[in-house]
Amino acid sequence: MSGRQGLRILAIVVSLALIAGAFFNLDFLMGSKRKPLLRLDTPQPTASRVEDGLEFIAPGLDGKNIDLSSYRGHPVIVDFWATWCGPCRKQIPELVALYKKYNRTRGLVIIGVSCDLIQGDGAKAVAPFVEEFQINYPIALADERLVDRMGVEAIPTTLFVGPDGKLVSRIVGAGHAGEISNNARRLLDGVKGPVSPSKPDDINGHVIDISVVK
C-alpha cells in the first residue's frame, strides 16, 4: 500500500468518526428533552379504586372469604383495626350498636378488618377480642397488600361505602364522639359527605401509624 493510499484511508476513517460523533451529540441533545419512560415499579395513583368502586377479598375469621363486592346494593362500613390499638377499642362499641340497630332495619353492613396479621399476635388474638367486645359483624383478616391497595396508613380507619361500591366518606382515627354514627346516618340517607384526608394531623393520640410496618 502506497503512502498516498494510506492517507486516503485514514481520511475516510476520520470522516466517518466525525459523522458518528455529530449524530450521537444530536441524539443526546434531543433525548434530554424527551419525557422519561414510565417505570413499571413506580407506585401509581389508586384513585380508580374509588371511581370504579372499592373491592377486596380477604379471609374471614371463620375461614370463609369475605368479598366486599358481594354487598353491592347495601350501605357498608369497613373498619380497619387491631386488637392492640387503643383508639380502635374506643370506637368498636359504637360500631356494634350501629350494626345491631341498622343491619335488619336498613340493610347496613359492617365489616371489621383486623390488621393483627401485619403487626401483633396474629389471628389467634382476634377471636378472644371479638368475644370480649361482643362484635356482632363479620371480621376479615388483612395483609399488607390489602391495606396498601385500600390506601390505609393508620388505624383505626373507617370507610363508608355507598350501595354502588363507591367511597362516601372516611374517618381516620377514633374521631370525635358520635362522628361514626353521624357518618353512618348520612350513608344510610344517601348523603355524600367530604372524604377526610387519609392521615390528618389534628387527631394525634387517636390514631396509630401502620405505614412503617412493612
Side-chain angles (χ1 to χ4, degrees):
M1 180 185 297
S2 66
R4 183 175 296 178
Q5 288 178 325
L7 290 175
R8 185 175 300 170
I9 292 173
L10 178 61
I12 293 174
V13 171
V14 171
S15 299
L16 291 174
L18 290 174
I19 293 172
F23 179 82
F24 174 82
N25 288 335
L26 179 61
D27 183 71
F28 175 81
L29 291 173
M30 293 182 65
S32 64
K33 297 180 181 179
R34 296 173 185 156
K35 294 182 179 180
L37 294 176
L38 178 65
R39 290 182 47 155
L40 294 179
D41 59 348
T42 301
Q44 299 302 307
T46 54
S48 62
R49 71 178 191 275
V50 175
E51 296 171 359
D52 299 337
L54 298 179
E55 292 186 5
F56 70 76
I57 299 176
L61 191 58
D62 59 359
K64 299 178 181 179
N65 282 341
I66 294 178
D67 184 351
L68 179 59
S69 64
S70 67
Y71 296 105
R72 291 289 191 269
H74 290 268
V76 182
I77 297 176
V78 182
D79 181 51
F80 288 83
W81 62 282
T83 59
W84 44 265
C85 166
C88 302
R89 290 170 173 260
K90 177 182 176 182
Q91 69 179 31
I92 284 178
E94 187 174 2
L95 290 167
V96 170
L98 285 169
Y99 189 78
K100 183 178 181 180
K101 183 176 183 178
Y102 293 120
N103 175 247
R104 292 188 177 181
T105 60
R106 303 288 298 275
L108 176 66
V109 174
I110 298 180
I111 301 173
V113 184
S114 167
C115 297
D116 287 87
L117 295 182
I118 302 173
Q119 181 180 358
D121 294 330
K124 66 180 181 180
V126 179
F129 184 93
V130 168
E131 183 176 355
E132 177 186 352
F133 280 78
Q134 299 181 344
I135 296 177
N136 50 0
Y137 46 82
I139 300 296
L141 302 174
D143 58 13
E144 293 180 14
R145 291 176 298 175
L146 175 56
V147 297
D148 286 345
R149 181 182 177 190
M150 302 298 288
V152 175
E153 295 184 349
I155 54 173
T157 289
T158 309
L159 308 178
F160 298 82
V161 185
D164 58 358
K166 296 182 180 180
L167 186 66
V168 173
S169 61
R170 169 172 48 214
I171 299 175
V172 180
H176 308 292
E179 188 173 4
I180 288 180
S181 294
N182 289 338
N183 277 265
R185 283 190 286 269
R186 291 171 62 88
L187 174 66
L188 291 169
D189 294 339
V191 179
K192 186 169 183 178
V195 177
S196 303
S198 60
K199 203 172 180 183
D201 297 326
D202 60 344
I203 54 173
N204 290 333
H206 300 281
V207 62
I208 296 177
D209 185 0
I210 62 171
S211 61
V212 296
V213 183
K214 298 296 181 185

